[in-house]
Amino acid sequence: MKRILYILIFAVATFGATSSSAQTLEGLFNSLSKMLSSSESAETKAEAKVEHPTEKEIIGKWNYQEMVMEYTGDSTLASLAVSSAATQLPTLAAKVGITGKEYVRIKGDGTIMFVGGDSKVEAKYTYVKPTGKIIVSVVHNNQTITLTGSVAKVNGGLKVLFNAKEVVAKAELVSTRFKENSTFAILKEMINSYPGIMGGAIFKK
């Protein structure tokens, strides 16, 4: 289950990074805050047109390509922070053991198989085409972990995004180690302060 969360979102991947880096997340966000606190803007962003796949189009084997992070809110500070953090995703992915060979197999019977190395985990899903909404449920340690996200077409593949705030909350249910990790605590604080941070991955056939 933890490997699935690694692939789905940067929050769990960040947990795998060392906390002794020269520039910590806390330092980064504090610097950005000082630099941009006087220039926060509520300027409305032009939304790009999003095309969602049909129920049939999502069926099949989808190979993991890369982790992605996006911000859908209107905070200039959060937008810059997310853009900066997104550049570190390849490094973070490597640190948590993501090799690029992972894949998901989506079946028409409402099940998904997550495969990474020798690990295979089956989950159930519900997909709503008009909005691209996807609900994924996995049983872990006798607990049902449910995540709600969105699926969109992108460059011949699928981009799957989940709300970072929800994933952070579910990650804490998966392992108590998250609550004890200082880097995770900093990340959680930022996510709670700036709603609209999304994380996930891009997959291609």
Side-chain angles (χ1 to χ4, degrees), residues 22-183:
Q23 183 180 37
T24 64
L25 284 173
E26 185 174 20
L28 170 64
F29 296 137
N30 285 341
S31 297
L32 289 172
S33 179
K34 292 178 181 178
M35 179 174 64
L36 297 174
S37 59
S38 62
S39 62
E40 278 289 332
S41 172
E43 180 179 349
T44 302
K45 298 179 181 179
E47 296 185 3
K49 183 179 180 181
V50 178
E51 184 179 359
H52 303 294
T54 65
E55 291 87 345
K56 289 184 178 181
E57 287 176 326
I58 68 172
I59 304 302
K61 177 183 175 182
W62 295 91
N63 299 301
Y64 168 82
Q65 300 296 307
E66 61 179 312
M67 297 177 70
V68 291
M69 186 192 311
E70 296 182 0
Y71 177 62
T72 60
D74 57 9
S75 166
T76 303
L77 169 60
S79 181
L80 184 57
V82 169
S83 295
S84 178
T87 63
Q88 302 303 313
L89 290 180
T91 300
L92 296 176
K95 286 185 177 181
V96 299
I98 296 178
T99 65
K101 297 180 180 180
E102 295 79 7
Y103 68 88
V104 298
R105 188 179 297 279
I106 304 177
K107 302 179 182 179
D109 62 359
T111 60
I112 301 179
M113 181 69 75
F114 297 87
V115 180
D118 296 328
S119 176
K120 294 183 179 180
V121 179
E122 187 173 76
K124 295 182 178 180
Y125 78 92
T126 300
Y127 179 66
V128 183
K129 194 276 176 183
T131 60
K133 179 180 179 180
I134 189 167
I135 303 172
V136 180
S137 298
V138 182
V139 177
H140 177 73
N141 289 341
N142 297 318
Q143 281 188 309
T144 300
I145 307 298
T146 301
L147 293 170
T148 302
S150 63
V151 182
K153 291 183 177 182
V154 55
N155 298 325
L158 297 181
K159 178 170 64 177
V160 184
L161 291 174
F162 292 86
N163 186 288
K165 186 175 182 179
E166 180 184 11
V167 174
V168 164
K170 298 301 170 66
E172 290 180 316
L173 294 177
V174 172
S175 175
T176 57
R177 292 187 302 162
F178 289 104
K179 295 181 179 180
E180 302 168 357
N181 184 271
S182 59
T183 301

